[in-house]
Amino acid sequence: AQSVTQLGSHVSVSEGALVLLRCNYSSSVPPYLFWYVQYPNQGLQLLLKYTSAATLVKGINGFEAEFKKSETSFHLTKPSAHMSDAAEYFCAVRYTGTASKLTFGTGTRLQVTL
Amino acid sequence: EPEVTQTPSHQVTQMGQEVILRCVPISNHLYFYWYRQILGQKVEFLVSFYNNEISEKSEIFDDQFSVERPDGSNFTLKIRSTKLEDSAMYFCASSELGASTDTQYFGPGTRLTVL
């Protein structure tokens, strides 16, 4: 069964520090991978997605993620955290098929401190 | 920028009552989805819908649940007889096409509280 694992339910970084949020997928076939962000009392917003065109994917708000097949990973990074990045981040996987569902990880809450 | 909207933002109901959650997908989108998120848990897929038919549903989506596109703009989720465990945030999503690479755009959610 398709799944993603997000290591760390809470991550705290200082403003200006590197952000690294981890996501590993389980799959016997190449997946499509997504990172969504959820700000308080808001819906899910797409940050970026991997669709096999390029292994390094750049998204909105300065985030990027690299697909590493050998490590079955799709970690999200940002060189310098801002206070406005504080939110919950969800990794999700999707497989080939029309109208196929997204399967989400458990989420990582990012806290940014001064 | 077009967005998915959902009403109401918060619904409180008594156990056993019927509720209808409403969504207006982005206007040129053809595929529609419902997900839910129980407090403190992961976002879970409920159902996908295309061309007035269910494309896929999860084991959560039992006979108590139904979906409908009653007109050209709304997409609804009905829970016939609510249970305490139905308390959750319900998200509607839509995508232009149904391809696996297509982005699903999410609404802000309806928080359902069953008492």
Side-chain angles (χ1 to χ4, degrees):
Chain A
Q2 54 184 276
S3 67
V4 288
T5 301
Q6 291 184 243
L7 285 176
S9 57
H10 289 83
V11 170
S12 182
V13 300
S14 301
E15 191 173 37
L18 171 72
V19 175
L20 170 61
L21 305 182
R22 298 177 187 275
C23 174
N24 289 87
Y25 65 90
S26 64
S27 173
S28 59
V29 297
Y32 302 109
L33 292 154
F34 303 76
W35 275 100
Y36 280 84
V37 60
Q38 185 181 29
Y39 297 103
N41 301 314
Q42 293 188 30
L44 298 160
Q45 180 183 9
L46 181 71
L47 275 177
L48 48 80
K49 62 182 179 182
Y50 167 72
T51 59
S52 74
T55 56
L56 182 62
V57 182
K58 294 188 185 298
I60 62 171
N61 301 340
F63 284 92
E64 64 180 39
E66 187 172 7
F67 175 74
K68 292 187 177 180
K69 186 178 178 180
S70 60
E71 298 177 9
T72 61
S73 69
F74 189 57
H75 302 330
L76 182 71
T77 60
K78 182 175 180 177
S80 176
H82 295 151
M83 296 295 290
S84 59
D85 294 327
E88 184 124 25
Y89 292 79
F90 293 93
C91 182
V93 65
R94 196 177 184 193
Y95 292 92
T96 302
T98 304
S100 59
K101 63 184 179 185
L102 285 164
T103 298
F104 285 88
T106 50
T108 297
R109 184 167 298 279
L110 176 66
Q111 181 182 21
V112 183
T113 59
L114 288 171
Chain B
E1 185 178 326
E3 57 183 22
V4 177
T5 59
Q6 292 184 242
T7 54
S9 57
H10 193 183
Q11 172 98 43
V12 180
T13 190
Q14 296 290 324
M15 191 168 55
Q17 294 296 304
E18 175 183 286
V19 294
I20 297 176
L21 309 183
R22 302 180 193 281
C23 167
V24 179
I26 295 173
S27 63
N28 63 330
H29 286 189
L30 301 177
Y31 293 82
F32 315 115
Y33 311 82
W34 283 101
Y35 292 81
R36 79 173 186 190
Q37 184 181 28
I38 294 172
L39 189 63
Q41 298 185 24
K42 65 170 73 175
V43 177
E44 301 172 291
F45 169 78
L46 291 177
V47 66
S48 59
F49 189 85
Y50 167 72
N51 198 27
N52 284 318
E53 288 185 353
I54 290 174
S55 302
E56 184 181 0
K57 61 182 181 179
S58 71
E59 62 274 9
I60 302 168
F61 195 87
D62 61 22
D63 291 344
Q64 292 300 310
F65 291 88
S66 62
V67 288
E68 191 180 27
R69 188 150 163 85
D71 52 42
S73 59
N74 289 284
F75 179 52
T76 62
L77 174 69
K78 182 194 289 187
I79 309 175
R80 253 179 280 282
S81 178
T82 50
K83 306 183 186 72
L84 294 175
E85 54 264 37
D86 293 328
S87 294
M89 180 73 91
Y90 288 81
F91 293 106
C92 174
S94 69
S95 63
E96 186 175 2
L97 304 171
S100 303
T101 56
D102 211 22
T103 298
Q104 292 182 18
Y105 294 85
F106 284 76
T110 293
R111 181 167 297 285
L112 176 65
T113 301
V114 182
L115 303 175

